[in-house]
Amino acid sequence: MPPATHDELTPATRAVALGRPGRDPGAAVVEPVTFTSTYLAGGPVNYARVGNPTWTALEEVIGGLEGGEALVFASGLAAIDAVVTLVPPGGRIVVPGHAYNGTTGLLRGYAAEGRLEVRTVDISDPPAVLAALEGLEPGQDLLYIESPTNPMMEVADIPTLVRHARERGVLTAVDNTFATPLLQTPLADGADVVVHSATKYLSGHSDVLLGAVVTAATARGRALRERMLTRRSLHGAIPGPMEAWIVLRGIRTLAVRLERASANAVELAARLDDHPAVTRVRYPGLGAMIAIEVRGGAAAADRVCEQVRLWTHSTSLGGVESQLERRRAQPLEVETVPESLIRLSVGIEDLEDLWRDLARALGAT
Ligand SMILES: *Cc1c(COP(=O)(O)O)cnc(C)c1O
């Protein structure tokens, strides 16, 4: 029997089934880690800065989940840099005011050097985004979407924004780290590029950094992919084969982890809404990320983060363990993020254990 074709598999199954060695009798069931710096001459790849079989297996899974073709990078930011540098010098990029702070920091640096013009917008306000697209150069300028945004949890109307950008010939990229391809697939909405910090949900165990870009399997998508492949090969922001293997192993359980974490998050968001110490809950109703604001400003929020015993007080997100942090404690975070905002990355622990710990910490403010 030939293996099932990808098209007939649901995303949860693709996460498990893709990126496997061929089904020859006696073959390994799991893709091995290939540690080599070079290859015998005459094959398709001659050097390991250009390609590695363990990356290829992971790219098959991530690409299969997003409905496109993936390239893996050393980190999410390395992948984002490959997307941003698709815009030629002097070009313009429209970006959410509350994008991931590493993304805004990277763009601020390029803007300060005069390399790019950066226009920040409220990505949840379509008329504001459309106004910012005015005057953009077809075929070179970029609308960069992140949804939900990190950490403000603003949600973009991706199909509408992408349609308007495409009508103007403007490239579109979507950071899909928070939602994951199980909750939204921007390429299906016409986006040109999807970018991931696989450090978060795709790997899911807070033990590795890795990034990915995914482009559509069309002539337009392949041309973009080729440019980002060249960038990866020549700038060298490549993942180690062991890191790729760790993500490949983690992604197998993406669907069950996300299902459990999301169910926990739905219930925690409802309980937090009723908690007297919490003044605002930002939760889009899906996924496992929540942002709350607490009474008493930065000092009270810091106390919550210091009081938890089960939740881990750490930056980053998307792991099996629940994590929290006050975002403005990060030096790069933008000033329009409230001082008392705590970002919660809900994990897969027992709900009641999570609630007891969090409620006790909130009660101590
Ligand atoms: C963490 C994160 C990034 C950066 O990824 P790294 O793997 O840490 O480089 C980019 N976008 C979002 C939304 C993130 O949360």
Side-chain angles (χ1 to χ4, degrees):
M1 282 272 286
T5 66
H6 304 169
D7 292 344
E8 61 197 29
L9 303 175
T10 64
T13 306
R14 286 181 203 190
V16 176
L18 301 189
R20 302 275 179 183
R23 296 200 161 203
D24 300 326
V29 168
V30 175
E31 178 67 31
V33 194
T34 301
F35 288 114
T36 190
S37 63
T38 188
Y39 303 94
L40 290 173
V45 175
N46 70 344
Y47 190 56
R49 194 174 348 91
V50 178
N52 173 286
T54 317
W55 302 352
T56 306
L58 177 59
E59 288 168 347
E60 189 181 315
V61 186
I62 297 175
L65 285 171
E66 289 287 0
E69 295 172 337
L71 290 171
V72 290
F73 284 82
S75 67
L77 261 184
I80 290 166
D81 191 64
V83 174
V84 166
T85 47
L86 289 170
V87 180
R92 278 151 290 198
I93 170 163
V94 174
V95 64
H98 297 127
Y100 170 65
N101 67 2
T103 304
T104 50
L106 177 77
L107 292 174
R108 254 201 310 277
Y110 281 140
E113 291 165 5
R115 196 193 168 286
L116 289 175
E117 182 195 314
V118 178
R119 298 180 179 176
T120 56
V121 290
D122 175 354
I123 204 70
S124 64
D125 179 358
V129 180
L130 299 193
L133 295 179
E134 289 304 325
L136 259 57
E137 200 63 46
Q140 65 167 44
D141 290 344
L142 175 71
L143 168 61
Y144 184 95
I145 298 170
E146 185 178 302
S147 181
T149 57
N150 179 358
M152 292 285 268
M153 305 304 297
E154 295 137 331
V155 174
D157 178 348
I158 295 176
T160 299
L161 299 185
V162 165
R163 183 163 46 79
H164 282 283
R166 279 192 88 106
E167 279 166 14
R168 290 166 168 77
V170 169
L171 287 175
T172 53
V174 179
D175 185 330
N176 207 20
T177 298
F178 269 33
T180 84
L182 297 186
L183 300 180
Q184 69 189 14
T185 46
L187 294 182
D189 296 323
D192 290 299
V193 186
V194 166
V195 63
H196 273 284
S197 171
T199 308
K200 316 292 170 53
Y201 287 102
L202 298 188
S203 63
H205 295 74
S206 307
D207 52 11
V208 68
L209 272 84
L210 193 137
V213 300
V214 194
T215 43
T218 59
R220 175 177 163 129
R222 292 219 165 94
L224 294 169
R225 182 178 191 279
E226 204 53 41
R227 290 168 62 195
M228 291 189 283
L229 173 59
T230 301
R231 174 111 191 145
R232 182 180 72 176
S233 302
L234 296 179
H235 285 247
I238 53 166
M242 191 68 217
E243 280 71 10
W245 190 90
I246 291 170
V247 177
L248 186 59
R249 172 154 152 161
I251 210 168
R252 300 301 185 200
T253 55
L254 174 64
V256 285
R257 283 187 282 109
L258 198 65
E259 199 177 303
R260 167 67 171 236
S262 299
N264 280 348
V266 167
E267 180 58 28
L268 285 177
R271 294 186 190 184
L272 286 163
D273 233 352
D274 290 336
H275 197 285
V278 176
T279 55
R280 180 161 181 183
V281 176
R282 298 166 185 265
Y283 182 61
L286 273 178
M289 295 301 300
I290 304 173
I292 59 172
E293 291 163 43
V294 298
R295 222 174 280 290
D302 281 336
R303 271 198 300 280
V304 174
C305 296
E306 286 155 14
Q307 289 288 328
V308 290
R309 290 186 218 146
L310 171 61
W311 290 69
T312 63
H313 179 202
S314 52
T315 198
S316 200
L317 58 107
V320 290
E321 65 287 300
S322 294
Q323 302 171 71
L324 87 180
E325 85 172 317
R326 185 173 77 83
R327 277 307 282 179
R328 285 293 297 284
Q330 293 290 335
L332 270 180
E333 194 54 272
V334 295
E335 288 181 359
T336 44
V337 172
E339 283 282 5
S340 78
L341 183 141
I342 301 174
R343 189 185 66 191
L344 307 173
S345 169
V346 180
I348 66 167
E349 303 93 332
D350 179 80
L351 170 70
E352 298 305 333
D353 289 334
L354 288 175
W355 175 244
R356 213 175 308 115
D357 189 46
L358 192 57
R360 195 187 35 72
L362 284 166
T365 63

